[in-house]
Amino acid sequence: MKQTNWKKGMSFSFLTMIFGLMLAIQFQTIKEPIVRDTRDMWQLREDLKKEQQLQVELLSEIRKYNEIIETYEAEENQNPEVALKETLNVLKEEAGLTEVTGPGIIITINRLFSEELIGEPLPNISPELLKRLINELNSYDAEEISIQGRRVINSTVIRDINGQTKMDNYSLHTYPIEIKVISENADKLYNRMNASTTDEDFAIDNLNLSVSNPIDSMTIPAYEDTIRVKNMKPLEIEEGGK
């Protein structure tokens, strides 16, 4: 009899424990509702496309630097000087310190209406508008860009100084402003720029944006100024190479 009561007590305790666990799980579910993704199908497709493009670019960069490493390792023992020179040339190209030739387009920025017609002085192109155009070109797979014959690199600064828009301290106040853009697929770049609404933003500031037909070969000069690197210093090597 006692054994039967003991079994009933154990069964009751076990059922109570299961019931309590179920209540705890249910309470936790109510307390922390599942956050649902509210993006629609088109947004998801766009985000997926961006992620896939980023993955392709990263894989391409990894493959390129792996090739550089393999070339360096293959030539290091035979002729380390040649390997170092080749690596230096690649780094110069990446930094924009070499002249580049390839297919592309030319974008010309000009005034829509003259000061005589408007009857008042016209402002220069704003740094924000110019930077927005550069960002758009980069999103369309632009490889190299120059503005008024000056190379645009990662450290290029475009800003307003005393009411004048300057790129690396060079004024951009003379029109027309010519922007050369090199891209591996110049036709695609041309089509995407023609489909863009960026020209409407320029028109608001009394500026006309025109895009040339794809050009088979154009040259963009090397960056001429000194590249200043901040927050970096040479590594001090201890004696013994450590």
Side-chain angles (χ1 to χ4, degrees), residues 10 19 22 36 56 106 139 143 152 159 206 208 211 214:
M10 287 295 295
F19 181 69
M22 292 175 64
R36 300 185 64 183
V56 170
I106 296 177
S139 70
E143 296 174 3
V152 177
R159 57 185 173 178
N206 190 41
N208 177 60
V211 181

Side-chain angles (χ1 to χ4, degrees), residues 41-135:
M41 184 62 69
W42 291 108
Q43 289 175 321
L44 290 171
R45 286 179 177 177
E46 279 296 316
D47 291 342
L48 178 60
K49 185 178 179 181
K50 290 179 182 178
E51 292 298 327
Q52 289 174 337
Q53 180 63 31
L54 178 60
Q55 184 179 15
V56 170
E57 292 175 358
L58 289 175
L59 289 175
S60 177
E61 288 291 316
I62 293 172
R63 189 180 301 111
K64 179 177 65 177
Y65 288 112
N66 280 337
E67 290 175 356
I68 293 174
I69 292 173
E70 290 174 1
T71 301
Y72 182 81
E73 290 176 346
E75 297 181 353
E76 185 177 13
N77 295 329
Q78 299 176 3
N79 196 334
E81 184 179 352
V82 172
L84 287 172
K85 285 183 178 180
E86 289 180 357
T87 304
L88 179 61
N89 290 334
V90 171
L91 294 175
K92 282 184 175 181
E93 290 177 6
E94 291 287 333
L97 300 178
T98 60
E99 184 179 271
V100 178
T101 299
I105 60 173
I106 296 177
I107 297 174
T108 305
I109 302 173
N110 216 334
R111 297 287 195 187
L112 269 177
F113 306 105
S114 63
E115 293 185 357
E116 292 77 9
L117 185 61
I118 299 296
E120 60 182 26
L122 298 174
N124 292 320
I125 183 173
S126 68
E128 291 74 19
L129 193 59
L130 192 55
K131 286 188 283 188
R132 193 185 312 167
L133 174 61
I134 293 174
N135 289 336

Side-chain angles (χ1 to χ4, degrees), residues 210-229:
S210 62
V211 181
S212 73
N213 291 324
I215 300 172
D216 293 335
S217 180
M218 66 168 62
T219 299
I220 288 181
Y223 186 76
E224 296 178 350
D225 295 339
T226 301
I227 298 179
R228 303 185 183 280
V229 180

